[in-house]
Amino acid sequence: SSEVLEAIENVIQGVLQSLAQKKAPVLTLANRTDWRNIEFKDSVGLQMTPHYTTKQIRSDCPQSASRFALMLKILSMIYKMVQSNTYATKRDIYYSDTLLFGSQSTVDNIINDISCMLKIPRRSLHVLSTTKGFVAGNLSYTEEDGTKVNCTCSTTAVTVPSNVEGIKNLISHAKFMLIVEKDATFQRLLDDDFFNKVSPCIMITGRGVPDLNTRLLVRKLWDSFQIPIFALMDADPHGVEIMCVYKYGSVSMCFEAHHLTVPSIKWLGLLPSDLKRLNISKDALIPFTKQDQSKLASIQKRPYIACQPLWKKELEIMAASKLKAEIQVLTSLSQDYLSRVYLPNKLQFGGWL
């Protein structure tokens, strides 16, 4: 915490020095959304290059003056929280003055900017993000406040903890971990008692694009148990993108890649090639939209696809067919095809990439 306080004090000192010299104060941070500032490293995923371009948030420029003020406001809130050892969610910060901040996304963005500028992980700033992910299966742990959580015995999933760093005494006999893209598929596998039938496993879902806590938990479970991790996604560009976030990280959080990515994640399904192999009827597939086409084209250009020739092939199949499929398409074969046939066969015979 002293490191965080010192980093904030240095920023404020810089502002005061500028004012003393009758200069307009400026905040400088890495331009974290520019692909030129990002390099791909096999063992880490997407990370900031050591020599990145920066952007300035100026106090004397109409376009950025209000952002400059909001950054100082949130810095002062973080400073108080670190001093008093209290925590707040990004939502709490927004609701402390909705008129001032204007929108939740403004707050989220500024917090990421501050984390990047100070080079300090977000959770060390005492800002928690609201969790939307679920976890179930062969896992138990103790939360920071001493609450014991057992994910094994419940037919309902457990919410991913909001302070993943604080959990301890993790125990699991799981043979693998399954990341499920969507809540509906996750609930279906829960109802089918999947994590007890095949072999003990841990199932996790970020319910779409994963929040920070879900990504931190996947990474923590990987560090703790070193078991294989498989991703079960829709066979569409959006599903591939979500899987890449778990595996290689996201552009906006690349300065925190070391805590968030798990490059060993394998693509289990739904593979574009599975659709042909399983004779899924064309009528059950969904035609691409313009948005799907441009998303797929942008994924195909990313640096990590080049080192995944098998993924590349699957994306080419998807691009050529201009068709996509949700995991639910497997119910056209039979109601419980996913948990009874598809997943057990894939896991037993190695049908992942």
Side-chain angles (χ1 to χ4, degrees):
S1 62
S2 59
E3 193 186 318
V4 182
L5 296 176
E6 195 182 329
I8 296 174
E9 285 160 10
N10 289 340
V11 170
I12 301 306
Q13 205 171 1
V15 170
L16 292 173
Q17 273 167 350
S18 298
L19 290 170
Q21 292 161 3
K22 305 234 179 329
K23 286 183 189 156
V26 168
L27 297 174
T28 305
L29 60 139
N31 202 347
R32 60 187 172 83
T33 51
D34 187 338
W35 273 94
R36 287 169 302 185
N37 282 339
I38 292 156
E39 61 184 6
F40 169 64
K41 197 173 167 198
D42 236 351
S43 58
V44 181
L46 299 175
Q47 59 177 13
M48 293 290 275
T49 56
H51 309 293
Y52 46 78
T53 59
T54 56
K55 63 175 179 182
Q56 290 192 327
I57 295 163
R58 303 188 60 86
S59 59
D60 61 345
C61 163
Q63 284 91 349
S64 61
S66 66
R67 192 173 186 84
F68 179 91
L70 292 180
M71 280 185 80
L72 290 190
K73 166 79 175 164
I74 293 179
L75 275 170
S76 80
M77 293 171 87
I78 290 169
Y79 193 83
K80 282 179 193 141
M81 289 192 298
V82 175
Q83 264 187 327
S84 58
N85 197 23
T86 52
Y87 287 82
T89 63
K90 294 187 299 183
R91 220 166 163 64
D92 296 332
I93 291 175
Y94 168 59
Y95 279 110
S96 71
D97 199 334
T98 50
L99 279 177
L100 177 71
F101 294 120
S103 75
Q104 181 70 61
S105 63
T106 301
V107 172
D108 298 356
N109 254 318
I110 286 177
I111 287 163
N112 284 346
D113 274 349
I114 287 173
S115 174
C116 184
M117 176 175 74
L118 301 178
K119 297 188 176 54
I120 286 171
R122 196 167 78 194
R123 59 204 164 278
S124 303
L125 302 176
H126 287 228
V127 178
L128 304 171
S129 49
T130 321
T131 296
K132 65 184 176 91
F134 288 134
V135 59
N138 195 298
L139 173 69
S140 63
Y141 55 85
T142 309
E143 289 204 2
E144 197 181 25
D145 62 2
T147 311
K148 288 186 166 53
V149 178
N150 188 351
C151 308
T152 312
C153 54
S154 59
T155 42
T156 54
V158 172
T159 309
V160 167
S162 58
N163 189 355
V164 174
E165 284 302 286
I167 65 174
K168 46 191 184 293
N169 308 333
L170 287 93
I171 299 167
S172 176
H173 304 291
K175 296 280 179 281
F176 64 92
M177 191 150 87
L178 184 67
I179 298 172
V180 183
E181 177 187 348
K182 282 209 200 106
D183 196 22
T185 311
F186 183 84
Q187 297 299 339
R188 179 74 220 222
L189 291 172
L190 264 185
D191 295 343
D192 291 349
D193 197 25
F194 173 75
F195 62 80
N196 286 322
K197 277 183 185 158
V198 181
S199 65
C201 74
I202 298 167
M203 293 198 314
I204 207 162
T205 180
R207 297 162 75 196
V209 178
D211 58 287
L212 196 68
N213 295 325
T214 305
R215 290 171 62 189
L216 282 168
L217 184 62
V218 169
R219 176 62 198 235
K220 187 161 186 123
L221 294 172
W222 161 248
D223 287 339
S224 305
F225 305 120
Q226 301 279 316
I227 50 178
I229 305 180
F230 301 109
L232 180 63
M233 306 280 149
D234 288 341
D236 66 9
H238 192 61
V240 175
E241 170 114 274
I242 288 171
M243 174 171 56
C244 291
V245 168
Y246 283 106
K247 187 175 170 78
Y248 296 123
S250 58
V251 174
S252 63
M253 296 297 287
C254 60
F255 58 94
E256 269 207 62
H258 290 268
H259 312 282
L260 291 173
T261 59
V262 184
S264 62
I265 289 172
K266 301 278 184 277
W267 187 4
L268 187 70
L270 190 60
L271 302 176
S273 59
D274 288 340
L275 303 174
K276 193 170 180 188
R277 187 174 58 82
L278 298 170
N279 278 328
I280 302 282
S281 136
K282 275 254 165 66
D283 304 338
L285 305 177
I286 308 159
F288 261 25
T289 62
K290 280 238 161 56
Q291 202 183 358
D292 290 324
Q293 264 173 306
S294 60
K295 188 178 275 295
L296 181 58
S298 101
I299 292 170
Q300 286 176 303
K301 289 194 197 90
R302 288 188 195 162
Y304 44 68
I305 297 299
C307 67
Q308 290 280 7
L310 297 173
W311 283 32
K312 210 172 158 184
K313 248 194 202 123
E314 293 292 332
L315 297 183
E316 281 162 8
I317 293 172
M318 200 191 287
S321 74
K322 292 195 173 54
L323 293 167
K324 58 184 182 176
E326 298 185 328
I327 296 163
Q328 282 81 345
V329 79
L330 296 176
T331 54
S332 67
L333 301 173
S334 78
Q335 250 343 85
D336 56 354
Y337 192 85
L338 176 67
S339 59
R340 188 176 51 84
V341 183
Y342 183 83
L343 288 174
N345 279 349
K346 283 249 169 178
L347 292 160
Q348 190 180 349
F349 301 113
W352 58 80
L353 305 179

